[in-house]
Each structure stands twice: as C-alpha cells, then as structure tokens.
Amino acid sequence: MTSTTNPARPTIAATATGGPVVPSASLLRPLPLDEVRIRGGFWGERQELNAQTIVAHCQSWMERIGWIANFDAAAAGTVAQHHHGIEFVDSEVYKLLEAMAWELGREHSSELATRYDALVERVAAAQEPDGYLHTSFGRPGQRPRYSDLEWGHELYSFGHLLQAATARLRTGHDDRLVEVARALADHVWSEFGPGGRDAVCGHPEIEVALAEFSRATGERRYLELARSFVERRGRRQLATTLFQGSEYFLDDLPVRDAEVLRGHAVRALYLAAGAADVAVETGDDELLEAVKTQWANTVARRTYVTGGMGAHHQNEEFGSDFELPPDRAYSETCASIASVMLGWRLLLQTGEARYADLIERTLFNAFAVSPREDGRAFYYANTLHQRERGSEPADDELSERAEASLRAPWFEVSCCPTNVARTLASLAGYFVTVGDDSVQLHQYADLDVDTRTTEGAPVAFSVRTAYPFDGAIELTVREAGRFRLQLRVPEWARGSATASVNGEDVRVDGAYLTVDREFAAGDVVALSLDVRPRLLRPSPRIDAVRGTVAVERGPFVLCLESVDLPREADFAELRIDTATPLRPTADGAIATLVTGGAPGDAGAAWPYATEGTLPDAPQHTSATRFEAQLHPYFAWANRGPSLMRVWIPRA
Amino acid sequence: MTSTTNPARPTIAATATGGPVVPSASLLRPLPLDEVRIRGGFWGERQELNAQTIVAHCQSWMERIGWIANFDAAAAGTVAQHHHGIEFVDSEVYKLLEAMAWELGREHSSELATRYDALVERVAAAQEPDGYLHTSFGRPGQRPRYSDLEWGHELYSFGHLLQAATARLRTGHDDRLVEVARALADHVWSEFGPGGRDAVCGHPEIEVALAEFSRATGERRYLELARSFVERRGRRQLATTLFQGSEYFLDDLPVRDAEVLRGHAVRALYLAAGAADVAVETGDDELLEAVKTQWANTVARRTYVTGGMGAHHQNEEFGSDFELPPDRAYSETCASIASVMLGWRLLLQTGEARYADLIERTLFNAFAVSPREDGRAFYYANTLHQRERGSEPADDELSERAEASLRAPWFEVSCCPTNVARTLASLAGYFVTVGDDSVQLHQYADLDVDTRTTEGAPVAFSVRTAYPFDGAIELTVREAGRFRLQLRVPEWARGSATASVNGEDVRVDGAYLTVDREFAAGDVVALSLDVRPRLLRPSPRIDAVRGTVAVERGPFVLCLESVDLPREADFAELRIDTATPLRPTADGAIATLVTGGAPGDAGAAWPYATEGTLPDAPQHTSATRFEAQLHPYFAWANRGPSLMRVWIPRA
C-alpha cells in the first residue's frame, strides 16, 4: 500500500519508546502508547476494567495462593520446602508486571507505580548472583537447572520477564526490572549461547522475548540467541511422551520448512512471532516468507470464525486442516493473543489488510469473550457451542483449568488472565501505524492520535465513533499537515462502505480508504461501514458445521443463547429460517427460528435411521416458529450459565 | 421372551465349565466353549488368525520389550532396578494368559499348552508370600503398595489375572494360575475387605473380575469384595488432577445414581459390567435397573454407528450427549470389547434383542476394525473419518499409542491387542444361549451347537451360512428333541426377513423367529435376511454429521476409502448422490458420487463466506459424477494408508 525507500538495514539500535513491537525495519511503524490513546467505547471500557479490576484481581489471586510469595521464599532460601503452584507460575507474575508496565505507560497512577515497584523488588530479590531467576529449579532440594527443558518452562518464564522489562523500556523506564532482565538474558547467553547448551525450551516464548528485548536494549547478542533458538527447532531433540510428540513441541520440522502452524497452538504462534522478528532483524526473507505462508494456510484451514485457533483439547493442538468442531473448540485465549502478536508483526512488514482483518476479528470475538463483564473471571478455552448448562465456579474457587465450560476466577494453570491484562493495557499499540508520508488506522475506536510520519510531517487527529455497534466513524484533524491518511475497510464492508471528506463524498475502493491531501485543522473524514447483520456460510470442507449458518454484525460474530429463548424451545432442536431476513438490533440481530423434534429424535432410541423408515426431509412434529435475538458472542454467559451456539442449523 | 420359573436365588456355587460369564441366576444360560464352536466364515477366519498369529504376536512383543521379564526380575529381586514399561504392563501378560486359556479351551494345542504353563510359572514365581503380585510396586526401591490408587492400576492388573484364572476354571483346569489367583484374591480381601482399606482403584476392572472369579470358585468373599468396590464408587475419594476430575474416574456419583455412562469409556463400561454382575448375584434389582438405564441412554446418545464408544481423545472419555464427531472418534477397541461384555450380561438377564443387536454391530465394526488383516497390527482408537494419509509404523516400531491414525504393531500402552486376543478366543461364548425349554441364536456364523436346554432336552444343530456377506442362514438339527428354537432377526432386517422350516414358509415377526416343535434330526430351519445396502440418516441432534448419510449392508457399516476412488477425485469434496440407488456388490455397495470444489473452497482463503456473495446452494465448479465401491469399515486401511469416511455428505 505505501512504498518504502528500503534503507540499508540498520545495525540494531535501542528504540526509545514504543509499543510491544518495534522492528528496526518495517514498511509501517507502530506508535508508542503516548501517541495513540483509546478514549472510551468498547475498548476504552475494557481498558478501564483492566485498570480498575483485572490487574488487581490477578495480583490478589497470586498473593493469596502463594505464587508471588514463591519469590520471597526463594530469596529466603526456603522455596524448595514451600513452592506454590506448578513449575511456570513465575511467568504469571511476569505477565502481571508487563500489564502493570503498559498500564503505567498508558495512564500513570502512583498507587500502581508503588505496587509495581514493590513487586519488582520481591522478584529481584530472588535472582541468583549469576543472573538465573526461577523459583522451581536449581536451589538445594530442587531439581537442577535445565534438567527438564520439555516441561520445566524455565526459558518460557524468562521470556515473560524480558517482555515485562521491554514494556518498561518502551514506556520510558530503565529501571530495576530492566536490570534484572539484562542479567537474566546475559545468563541465558552464557548458558545457551555459543559453546553453551545446544537446546531449546519445550514452550517457545524466549525467542520473541529475546528479539524484542534486543530491539529495546540494542544488545545484538540477545537477537543472536533468539535466532539460535528459532534455528534449533525441528531436530526432534525434545523428549516426547505417550501423548506429546515432536509436533506438539514444534520440534518436528525446522521453522522455515513448515507449511502451516501445527502442534500446540500457543507454542506454535509464539514461535512464529519470534521467527518473524528474527527474520526481520537478520534480513532472512526466506524465513519471513515461510511464516507468512504458515499464517495464510492456518487462517484458511485452521481458524474458527471467531478468529480462535486450536481445535483439540487433547494437547491444546491445532488439529488437521478444516477440523474445526464448534463444541470442542479449544481456541485458547492465549492463542488468540498470540495470533494478534503474529498478525501485527506481519502487518508491520507488509501493510496488508488481511492481517488487520484477522486482528480485529480475533479481538472482538475470540479474545473479548474471555473476561467476564465484571473482570473477575475468564475463559481459558472458548467453545463455540455449549450443550450442557455448566455451573459457575465460586469467586474464591481455584479451577482445574481448560475443561471448565464457564469462566473461572483463576486456574491452576492461569496463563490467560494475565495475558488478557497485558494485552488490554497495551491494546492501543495495535491500532495505528505511520509510513514514510502516511498514517494508517487499522482498528476503530474513540482515539486520539498525536504523532509524525516517518518523514516528519505532524499527524494529529481524533476519532469518534460508536463502532462496532454503529458503522459511522468520524475523524477530525487537529493539526495541519500533509500526509496520506489510510483507513482500513474491513473485509465484510468492502464494496458497501461510503466515505466523505468535509462532507464531500469520496470513493472507497480496496482495503484501505486513502485520503492524500494537505490537511487543515478541523478537516473531517467520515467513513461509514454497513454493520447490518449478515448470514455466513462455512466452507463445505468444514465437516463439523455442515448445514449450518452463523450470523455476523460488523466485526462481531453473534450467537444464540438459551437465555434469549422461550422456555418451551428445545435448544438441541433449534433451526434458523434463513429465508426470513434478519432484523438488526442495537447490538445484534433478530432471527426467525424453528423448534420441534423430528419423530424418533427424543433421545431414547438408536440415533441412526434407515432412509425410507423416516421421510426424506425430517418432518418435525409440533414445530413452532418464533423470533429470538442473537447477541455478540463475546458477551455470552455473562447472564449466568446458558446453552449457546454460534453455528445454527438451517431449517 | 422365555419365562423362567424364578427359582429361589441359589447361594453361589462354583460353576464347572462355561464361557466368560456364568451368572448363578439368569433368564438365559450361556454355553461353554465346548458346546458351541465356530467352524469358519468371518469369525472362524479371525479365530484362526488369533490362534496362528495374534496370540504369538502379543507374546513375542512382550518378551522382546521386557514386560514378561519383569516377572523374572521381580522373582529375582531386581525389578526395582529394571522394570520395563508403564505401571500396568502386568495386565497385558494376564490378558495374554486369558487368551491362551480360552484358546486352549477352544482347540487344544500341546505347543500352546507348554507355552502357557511356562508363562504361568514365570508369573507365579513373582508372587509374594502374602499373595500380592505386582511388578511395579511394593518391593524395596519401588513405591509402596497401594500408594497410587489413582494411577498405579494395581487392582486393575489383579482383575485381569483373576479373569485369566476364571478362563482356566471355565475350560476345566484348576491349575497353578488358579492357585495364584486365589492367593491374590485372598490378599485383596485382607487388604480391602472388612476392616481394611476403604478405597477403590482408579481403573475399574477388579469388580467384574472378582464377581466372576467368585462365580467360578464359589467363594462368596470375592463377591462381597466386588460389591464393596462397586458401592464405594462416587465418594470423590480418588485424587483428581488438572485434567482428570472425579467423573473421569467414575467417582463422581454412586453407580446406582448415574443416568448414563460417562467419564473414561473403558473404565465406565468395565465398572458397569461389574455392577451388573454384583446386582445379579446379590439380587439388587435397583442396581441392575440403573445399569440398564445407563446402557439405554448411552446407546441412544453416546454411541457411534459402528457401536464404538468414547468421543474424546482427551481423557478417553465419552463426552456429552450427541457429541459424536467422526473425525475425533476415540472409540477405543477396549471400549468396544467392554461394551460387548456389558451387553452380554444384560442380554442374559433380559433376553432382549437390543443387547444382541448392539453386540453384533459392535463386533462387526468397532471391534473387527482393530486387527489388521494379517493380525500383526491393531487400532487402539478407531476413527470414522480419516482426513490425512498417515504412515504405517514399521513392524518393529513401538508406537506411542492412541493418536496414531494407522494400525500399529504394539503400543506403550497396549491394552487393545491382548484384549482382542482374549475376545476372539472366547467369542463363540457370546453367540448362543439356552432357556428352560429353549435355545437362542443371537449371532450368526458357521456353528456347531451341542448342548441341552435348562430342563435337559438335548439340543444339537449346525448352522451354515455365508453371513454377513449373504443373508441366507441354514440350521440343520442333528439330534431329535423338543425345544423352542429362537433365531434373532437383526433390527435392520425386521419386517423384511423370511423363514422356512423344512421348506415350508413360517411367519417371522418380532425380534426373534421362534420355532417351537419336536425337532427331528435333519430338520432344516432357514432364515433369510435382506442384506442389500441401505442408506442411514443420523439424528439431527448429532451436530457433527449433519447433512451426511452412512451406508450399511447387513451388519456392516460401510465406508468410502480414497484407494477406491479415481485419482482426480478430491476426497474433501466428495458428496453422495442419494437419489441414485445403491447397487449391491459381494461385500459392499456401489454408490454414485459427485466431486468438485465450490468456488473459493480451494483452501487458500478465509473459509467462511457471506450469504449472497456465493449462490445459496453451493454451485460446484467442474463437478464430475462417478461410481465407487464402498467397503465394510472393518477392512479399511488394510490396503495401506488411505483417506476414509463413514459419513458422506449428501450431494
């Protein structure tokens, strides 16, 4: 979309401030959090919920169940006797620190700064003299360091500490945590760098973290380490188990040889994000192309309509092409976040709208569904079809993890809540980019943007919108300047979107509306997206949803929930009358439904019938028709346990 | 169907010879293996394969990888240093012994008898003075006995030893293995009986084994133990894990309170079989009714068309009602065997054909699919839809277990091959029963039957048939006698079956053709079942197969395999033209198929399309029509790796 002058690739240099990802070379440049701010609306409310509730919820749970106290015990030398939680709970504390760091960069709070500093001190106190920092390994009475690379998650945990430190650097603080991170990264260099252990961690994460920490610090060795960890993948070096093979660990193939993402979804996506960073920083175009191919094939064949990824509960894996069962969707919250991380990296390199399209879809659906509306419970796995009314865990109940059908306050493996927190705090960083002489709005919200193009032209504007509940987006320029303004037209709105500049219609074609002019303060660019509900049909290759449709409205995938149905409707027998148009409502759609069982389908007999013994088209007995409202998927089960489905059988 | 004089329930008394199950009270009485013999045909060939190959295959694998040597090492006191395999590999040796015992009862072989005796000696040598016998626990350097009831599988392994000893008793041998089993059962009584440990094993099996060993030995304490283990279930006593909750262990509810089978499928079915035995022997009608209800609900809602059970790879569990994905069918071979065990017990008590119907379906499909045609590789999980061409493990390759898409010679958890072996060796025991004045043929094969009704009338006849490839079954009486002869009419043949006695047509109605007369030697009863192929439609409640049909022929479920399709057919795009009649072939059916992709379904783009952007009914580009043969499911992948589906989308 924009062209770049393709400067000689710079030697890596510490970036000052910025968002989560700051490549040293990219077509589009991301903005730091002080140059793009969300001011209310859908995401603003969620950032507020994060600031007010989610971050504190995470901290209080980890205080209560001893995960933070592990660091105190490590410092005191008693952690071997009293370690709380599984091996990688350190990483949750680090993701919380990262969330706090971004949150402080977004909106300073001295109360939060005090809590952050205190927490950093407790973590720092547990660091060993040589830089190693882990509460589960290496101390007398514990297993030796790096004795369980498959499952110990040491490097994975380190990676999350480095990402927290990166967040601090990017928000203008070279503090104690950064010092701890440097010492830790130096330790990893001495252990796993040239002449050291020729090994990888069972759970990728260190790769993407080292690459970014290298960018943030300017330390080339960290990038070299990240590159080594990426290149070492695929040698079947990690010990497999009865259940987990080399594919699970992404150790079956070199990263550059894979055609599609596979194995454990979160691991695969973190690794791909790290590989993209390494490819960019080392000029390895072959590796970058491989990651782009993997992304494209994964999106075309292994992605739920919500943007969620991972079709197997078993091993939290992707599954095969087109194997996308709605009822057994794993679609882990962390996988959605990792997908956004990967998509963002590819968007910065290519400027292609398809990456921003999937980011939007994922954020509004597979990601936004995780936190309960009060911010005190979370989905880990995100089903698209709930057949049984589950029961909600109590507020103080530690859940056993992913099999739970309802949001839980905390999990024994609790990677998702802290991941939600760090993502919401840094979310604005994924919305806007600048090019040489251009600025791009990839995502819509009430925004204030104050930045410059790469060539230095000032860019200041505000966006006001009720998107995605309404399709009208209005951008007002606040400072005169010449730049190409580009507004993404989501794929579902292409062909129907309209736009104007200061009231005069302008043509919208392609994936980005482009307005290239000398802007004056007060200029208004308006984009109108058609957010009326629409029916969606799956590819016939997706066996699990044959004969069904979904309904979307703007970027929202809608769903049908039992709480919105009349008491007499049998949820298992519902069908949608696709001949009757959907009626739009403020946040969803009214659909016409049919209910009533077919003869012999009462669930008391053999559920397979010879053709001829039943009429060819099932004649439903006592079928009734009624209307019901479909609501956005992200909000399901916020009104208590319910049955739910995204894909609705056609009448 | 027949009436019984309802004798006062006898005190338990050792049964002389018999098949795997000999209730002390039942409506129908099963026959021992010397009174019913399979003489060729589908099952005869498989019994021969078992005798010639499978039993030896199992033994040679377990010799090779040290599972049998564990007993030698235990006897020598060195097993703590060198134990091979997971904790419950003893049980595979016991299932092999059981297979050998039934096989010796079926067809004596002095070579096999010598191997059996030698193997029993090695097992016996490892028994401890107090009767305890396990190679993974309790010796110096090993974990203490009963320190891991959740996962140690000690009682589970004991159960398999008791079943092997029962097979010996039932085939007329009160030998060294029986002596070992008595000492072991007495040990369990002293440990878990009155005043002992109030606990259960994570994996049920001891219940059904103790109940039958009690029947075989006449020792009432063993029944009392079985009853206790059944009654102790449902107290949430077994420690749960991140992944496995109380339901997994069947420890969530008392057995008599459950409405449907749930949790780990094999565990659930073994427990239900044991509960049925306990209910029968203790006159606990409430418990028996509960098991019957669980069976009925499970068959109506949680059973694959192949008879297979278990819809989750995760935890090898049943899953929810109507959650029956063909591609992720777990349908473990052992679950099919356990389902036959349970169904047989309920058939003996009720005489209801539905149990025999499911036994037949399960045997010809979910069970028969497991062994490869050469008897040297086995399916553990039995998918109904194979999307990717897998690669076959090498003959000497130990496989990691269930995720394998193709048959494997042996598994690290290898419960299925030995289970197949013991079931094939004892299979004739599930075919025929007698009542007071009657005899029932529940399953068809070339059979010779020589028995008496319960009242003492001689019953001798031969059955000759090419069933199930052909529907003609001919029974010739060999000895004069008065009895009611009952031949099951499978549910798919009811209404169309015809029959004759000595050439004169007789009426067939209901689930059993009944011929009540004074038979003369040479009398011929002929039953003709319509085995022409038929289309089958699933309940609309089974979301995973909406819009598809299956094809059956006689008791066979058929499938479509890529090796039977023209090279240009795209397996993922195949649809069946249900308007064109199926043409029968010798073992399957010719169906008319349509192939050709819909626009945009090439797998390179987002796989969900807004209605209106594509025509409402998918217009397939370059669709071609052709005919292809569907073969019985059990035989799939015998011609090498292939793609396969049972449920075929409708054109």
Side-chain angles (χ1 to χ4, degrees):
Chain A
M1 29 177 290
T2 61
S3 63
T4 172
T5 51
N6 192 20
R9 198 169 294 277
T11 55
I12 205 158
T15 50
T17 61
V21 189
V22 185
S24 60
S26 60
L27 187 66
L28 306 181
R29 185 173 60 80
L31 304 190
L33 298 194
D34 57 356
E35 296 183 9
V36 51
R37 296 175 176 282
I38 299 174
R39 303 290 194 194
F42 187 90
W43 291 119
E45 288 163 15
R46 277 158 185 77
Q47 287 202 314
E48 208 49 38
L49 186 70
N50 194 43
Q52 299 302 322
T53 305
I54 297 177
V55 168
H57 175 90
C58 292
Q59 185 167 13
S60 76
W61 262 96
M62 290 197 283
E63 289 286 7
R64 186 183 139 208
I65 59 178
W67 295 3
I68 295 174
N70 285 337
F71 290 95
D72 309 334
T78 60
V79 72
Q81 289 77 54
H82 306 288
H83 184 275
H84 299 277
I86 37 115
E87 289 95 335
F88 45 100
V89 294
D90 292 1
S91 68
E92 306 313 335
V93 179
Y94 303 151
K95 275 189 285 184
L96 171 63
L97 285 173
E98 185 185 342
M100 290 173 157
W102 290 123
E103 184 55 29
L104 287 166
R106 190 185 73 86
E107 185 85 41
H108 188 77
S109 146
S110 55
E111 184 269 337
L112 181 60
T114 304
R115 272 163 53 207
Y116 166 87
D117 286 338
L119 189 50
V120 167
E121 283 311 315
R122 292 167 74 183
V123 167
Q127 189 165 37
E128 300 196 45
D130 67 349
Y132 182 89
L133 174 48
H134 203 288
T135 67
S136 290
F137 287 90
R139 289 182 169 79
Q142 293 186 318
R143 288 188 286 168
R145 294 176 182 181
Y146 309 119
S147 58
D148 184 8
L149 284 169
E150 288 79 8
W151 300 103
H153 290 67
E154 285 160 281
L155 294 169
Y156 166 85
S157 297
F158 299 170
H160 280 299
L161 190 149
L162 302 188
Q163 287 184 319
T166 298
R168 269 315 252 182
L169 286 166
R170 291 278 166 71
T171 50
H173 303 272
D174 193 346
D175 71 347
R176 180 89 180 92
L177 184 67
V178 175
E179 192 183 317
V180 168
R182 282 181 195 270
L184 178 58
D186 290 344
H187 158 79
V188 176
W189 170 260
S190 69
E191 281 286 332
F192 291 86
R197 297 171 192 266
D198 181 17
V200 296
C201 182
H203 198 314
E205 156 66 19
I206 188 76
E207 300 81 0
V208 70
L210 277 168
E212 207 61 43
F213 194 56
S214 170
R215 288 166 167 166
T217 58
E219 175 52 64
R220 186 93 198 171
R221 286 177 305 145
Y222 304 156
L223 174 65
E224 180 53 31
L225 258 180
R227 196 195 59 78
S228 298
F229 284 131
V230 168
E231 295 294 356
R232 285 173 193 169
R233 223 84 200 176
R235 300 182 301 173
R236 299 183 181 269
Q237 186 183 32
L238 293 164
T240 60
T241 74
L242 275 185
F243 289 98
Q244 287 91 13
S246 293
E247 183 179 286
Y248 170 86
F249 290 116
L250 288 315
D251 200 23
D252 56 331
L253 279 178
V255 176
R256 67 181 69 241
D257 292 349
E259 292 282 323
V260 65
L261 296 178
R262 70 223 178 277
H264 186 281
V266 177
R267 293 173 202 235
L269 286 156
Y270 280 173
L271 179 61
D277 287 337
V278 165
V280 167
E281 297 305 328
T282 62
D284 187 340
D285 293 340
E286 180 195 75
L287 182 58
L288 188 62
E289 282 307 311
V291 173
K292 286 163 62 180
T293 299
Q294 291 161 27
W295 182 94
N297 286 333
T298 302
V299 172
R301 308 179 200 156
R302 300 186 175 188
T303 301
Y304 284 99
V305 69
T306 55
M309 294 183 183
H312 287 187
H313 280 237
Q314 177 76 41
N315 284 351
E316 308 177 296
E317 288 188 335
F318 268 102
S320 301
D321 286 349
F322 301 104
E323 190 195 320
L324 293 162
D327 50 359
R328 291 293 283 172
Y330 198 69
S331 181
E332 184 181 335
T333 303
C334 290
S336 297
I337 291 166
S339 168
V340 171
M341 289 167 56
L342 174 60
W344 182 241
R345 282 160 172 79
L346 300 180
L347 176 61
L348 294 179
Q349 293 305 315
T350 64
E352 293 173 17
R354 58 182 178 152
Y355 299 111
D357 284 339
L358 188 72
I359 288 172
E360 174 170 67
R361 178 177 291 276
T362 305
L363 287 175
F364 275 116
N365 299 287
F367 170 74
V369 70
S370 175
R372 195 170 62 195
E373 61 185 349
D374 68 356
R376 298 181 192 280
F378 303 83
Y379 277 125
Y380 187 123
N382 296 282
T383 188
L384 276 72
H385 182 185
Q386 181 73 22
R387 278 202 190 78
E388 295 176 352
R389 209 174 300 269
S391 59
E392 222 157 11
D395 283 352
D396 61 351
E397 182 182 343
L398 182 61
S399 287
E400 275 178 345
R401 82 180 250 180
E403 289 295 317
S405 60
L406 285 161
R407 295 179 183 93
W410 205 252
F411 302 91
E412 293 193 26
V413 173
S414 209
C415 42
C416 299
T418 54
N419 223 347
V420 167
R422 68 172 183 154
T423 304
L424 283 175
S426 59
L427 194 69
Y430 296 96
F431 278 30
V432 181
T433 56
V434 292
D436 291 349
D437 58 352
S438 62
V439 58
Q440 295 78 31
L441 251 79
H442 303 286
Q443 308 298 338
Y444 296 109
D446 286 351
L447 289 177
D448 286 344
V449 174
D450 293 273
T451 186
R452 289 181 178 272
T453 64
T454 304
E455 290 171 357
V459 176
F461 60 80
S462 297
V463 178
R464 293 297 175 264
T465 179
Y467 187 85
F469 300 103
D470 186 88
I473 295 150
E474 194 176 88
L475 179 152
T476 306
V477 174
R478 281 191 275 100
E479 192 174 340
R482 175 161 196 106
F483 51 89
R484 268 190 309 133
L485 174 67
Q486 300 192 289
L487 280 69
R488 183 177 62 96
V489 180
E491 49 81 23
W492 45 264
R494 280 171 214 154
S496 63
T498 58
S500 66
V501 177
N502 296 330
E504 278 181 41
D505 287 355
V506 294
R507 198 166 139 227
V508 186
D509 54 9
Y512 284 82
L513 162 68
T514 298
V515 182
D516 187 355
R517 61 186 269 158
E518 186 79 46
F519 285 100
D523 277 357
V524 173
V525 178
L527 175 65
S528 179
L529 305 175
D530 181 356
V531 295
R532 282 177 300 176
R534 54 196 192 276
L535 280 177
L536 206 71
R537 191 171 62 225
S539 162
R541 291 188 180 236
I542 307 176
D543 290 289
V545 292
R546 178 172 287 107
T548 68
V549 294
V551 181
E552 292 187 339
R553 185 184 184 286
F556 287 132
V557 174
L558 306 185
C559 70
L560 190 61
E561 244 188 304
S562 55
V563 289
D564 290 314
L565 299 176
R567 185 177 289 274
E568 67 275 16
D570 180 347
F571 199 77
E573 292 290 349
L574 285 177
R575 300 175 310 287
I576 186 168
D577 174 4
T578 55
T580 307
L582 299 164
R583 283 201 291 121
T585 63
D587 75 343
I590 304 281
T592 300
L593 299 169
V594 182
T595 185
D601 292 324
W606 183 239
Y608 310 97
T610 302
E611 293 261 331
T613 61
L614 288 183
D616 197 54
Q619 296 293 315
H620 289 81
T621 55
S622 64
T624 56
R625 291 170 66 86
F626 58 93
E627 291 193 321
Q629 180 154 17
L630 280 65
H631 290 291
Y633 167 73
F634 80 85
W636 93 272
N638 270 326
R639 293 170 289 167
S642 69
L643 310 185
M644 181 276 293
R645 60 189 311 159
V646 166
W647 292 101
I648 308 169
R650 307 178 86 121
Chain B
M1 30 176 292
T2 62
S3 63
T4 172
T5 50
N6 193 19
R9 199 169 293 278
T11 55
I12 205 159
T15 49
T17 61
V21 189
V22 186
S24 60
S26 60
L27 186 67
L28 305 181
R29 185 172 62 77
L31 303 191
L33 297 194
D34 56 356
E35 296 183 8
V36 51
R37 296 175 177 282
I38 300 173
R39 303 291 195 192
F42 187 90
W43 292 119
E45 287 164 15
R46 277 157 185 77
Q47 287 202 313
E48 208 48 39
L49 186 70
N50 193 43
Q52 298 303 322
T53 304
I54 297 177
V55 168
H57 175 91
C58 292
Q59 185 167 13
S60 76
W61 262 96
M62 291 197 282
E63 290 286 9
R64 185 184 139 205
I65 60 179
W67 295 3
I68 295 174
N70 286 337
F71 291 95
D72 308 334
T78 60
V79 72
Q81 289 75 56
H82 306 288
H83 185 275
H84 298 277
I86 38 115
E87 288 95 335
F88 45 101
V89 294
D90 292 1
S91 68
E92 306 312 335
V93 178
Y94 303 151
K95 276 189 285 184
L96 171 63
L97 284 173
E98 184 185 342
M100 289 173 159
W102 291 123
E103 184 55 30
L104 288 166
R106 190 185 74 87
E107 184 85 40
H108 188 77
S109 145
S110 54
E111 184 269 335
L112 180 60
T114 305
R115 272 163 54 206
Y116 166 86
D117 287 338
L119 189 50
V120 167
E121 282 312 314
R122 292 167 74 182
V123 167
Q127 189 165 36
E128 301 195 44
D130 66 349
Y132 181 88
L133 174 47
H134 203 288
T135 67
S136 290
F137 287 90
R139 290 181 168 80
Q142 293 186 319
R143 289 188 285 168
R145 294 176 181 181
Y146 310 119
S147 57
D148 185 7
L149 284 169
E150 288 78 8
W151 300 103
H153 289 67
E154 285 160 282
L155 294 169
Y156 165 86
S157 296
F158 299 170
H160 280 298
L161 190 148
L162 302 188
Q163 287 183 318
T166 297
R168 270 315 252 181
L169 286 167
R170 290 278 166 71
T171 50
H173 302 272
D174 194 345
D175 72 346
R176 181 87 181 93
L177 184 67
V178 176
E179 192 183 316
V180 169
R182 283 180 194 269
L184 178 58
D186 291 344
H187 158 79
V188 176
W189 171 261
S190 69
E191 281 285 333
F192 291 88
R197 297 171 193 266
D198 181 17
V200 297
C201 181
H203 198 315
E205 156 65 19
I206 188 75
E207 301 81 0
V208 70
L210 276 169
E212 207 60 43
F213 194 55
S214 171
R215 287 165 167 168
T217 57
E219 176 51 63
R220 186 93 199 172
R221 286 177 304 144
Y222 304 156
L223 174 65
E224 180 53 33
L225 258 180
R227 197 194 60 77
S228 299
F229 284 131
V230 168
E231 296 294 357
R232 286 174 193 167
R233 223 82 200 178
R235 301 183 300 173
R236 298 183 182 269
Q237 186 183 31
L238 292 164
T240 60
T241 74
L242 275 185
F243 289 99
Q244 287 91 14
S246 292
E247 183 179 287
Y248 170 87
F249 290 116
L250 289 315
D251 200 23
D252 56 331
L253 278 178
V255 176
R256 66 181 69 242
D257 293 349
E259 292 282 324
V260 66
L261 296 178
R262 69 224 177 276
H264 186 281
V266 177
R267 293 173 202 237
L269 287 155
Y270 280 174
L271 180 61
D277 286 339
V278 165
V280 167
E281 297 305 328
T282 62
D284 187 340
D285 293 340
E286 180 194 75
L287 181 59
L288 188 63
E289 282 306 312
V291 173
K292 285 162 63 180
T293 299
Q294 290 160 28
W295 183 93
N297 286 333
T298 302
V299 171
R301 308 179 202 157
R302 300 186 176 188
T303 301
Y304 284 99
V305 69
T306 56
M309 295 183 183
H312 286 187
H313 280 237
Q314 178 76 41
N315 284 351
E316 307 177 295
E317 287 188 334
F318 268 103
S320 301
D321 286 350
F322 301 104
E323 190 195 320
L324 293 162
D327 50 358
R328 290 293 283 173
Y330 197 69
S331 181
E332 184 181 335
T333 303
C334 290
S336 297
I337 291 166
S339 167
V340 171
M341 288 167 57
L342 174 61
W344 182 241
R345 283 160 172 79
L346 299 180
L347 176 61
L348 294 178
Q349 293 305 315
T350 64
E352 292 173 17
R354 57 182 179 153
Y355 299 113
D357 285 339
L358 188 72
I359 288 172
E360 173 170 66
R361 179 177 290 277
T362 305
L363 287 175
F364 276 116
N365 299 288
F367 170 73
V369 71
S370 175
R372 195 171 61 195
E373 61 184 349
D374 68 356
R376 298 181 193 279
F378 303 83
Y379 277 124
Y380 186 123
N382 295 282
T383 188
L384 276 72
H385 182 185
Q386 181 72 23
R387 277 202 191 79
E388 294 176 353
R389 209 174 300 269
S391 59
E392 222 157 12
D395 283 352
D396 60 350
E397 183 182 344
L398 183 61
S399 288
E400 275 176 347
R401 84 182 248 178
E403 289 294 317
S405 60
L406 284 161
R407 295 180 183 94
W410 206 251
F411 302 90
E412 293 192 26
V413 173
S414 209
C415 41
C416 299
T418 54
N419 223 347
V420 167
R422 67 172 183 155
T423 304
L424 282 176
S426 59
L427 194 69
Y430 295 97
F431 278 30
V432 181
T433 57
V434 292
D436 290 349
D437 58 351
S438 61
V439 58
Q440 295 78 31
L441 251 78
H442 303 287
Q443 308 298 339
Y444 297 110
D446 285 351
L447 289 177
D448 286 344
V449 174
D450 293 273
T451 186
R452 289 179 178 274
T453 64
T454 304
E455 291 171 356
V459 175
F461 60 79
S462 297
V463 178
R464 293 297 174 265
T465 179
Y467 186 84
F469 300 102
D470 186 88
I473 295 149
E474 193 176 87
L475 179 152
T476 306
V477 174
R478 281 191 276 101
E479 192 174 341
R482 176 163 194 104
F483 51 88
R484 267 189 311 130
L485 175 68
Q486 300 192 290
L487 280 69
R488 183 177 62 95
V489 180
E491 49 81 24
W492 45 265
R494 279 170 215 153
S496 62
T498 59
S500 66
V501 177
N502 296 330
E504 279 181 39
D505 286 355
V506 294
R507 200 168 137 225
V508 185
D509 53 10
Y512 283 84
L513 161 69
T514 298
V515 182
D516 187 354
R517 61 186 271 160
E518 185 79 45
F519 285 99
D523 277 356
V524 173
V525 178
L527 174 66
S528 179
L529 306 175
D530 181 356
V531 296
R532 281 177 301 177
R534 54 195 192 277
L535 278 177
L536 207 71
R537 192 171 58 223
S539 162
R541 291 189 179 235
I542 307 176
D543 289 289
V545 292
R546 177 171 288 108
T548 68
V549 293
V551 181
E552 293 186 338
R553 185 184 185 285
F556 287 132
V557 174
L558 306 185
C559 70
L560 190 61
E561 242 188 304
S562 55
V563 288
D564 290 314
L565 300 176
R567 185 176 289 273
E568 66 275 16
D570 181 347
F571 198 78
E573 292 290 349
L574 285 177
R575 300 176 309 289
I576 186 168
D577 174 4
T578 55
T580 307
L582 298 164
R583 283 201 290 121
T585 63
D587 75 344
I590 304 280
T592 300
L593 299 169
V594 182
T595 185
D601 293 324
W606 184 239
Y608 311 99
T610 303
E611 292 260 332
T613 61
L614 288 182
D616 198 54
Q619 297 292 317
H620 290 81
T621 55
S622 64
T624 56
R625 292 170 66 86
F626 58 92
E627 292 193 320
Q629 180 155 16
L630 279 65
H631 289 291
Y633 167 73
F634 81 84
W636 93 271
N638 269 328
R639 293 171 289 167
S642 70
L643 311 184
M644 181 275 293
R645 59 189 311 159
V646 166
W647 293 101
I648 308 170
R650 305 178 88 121

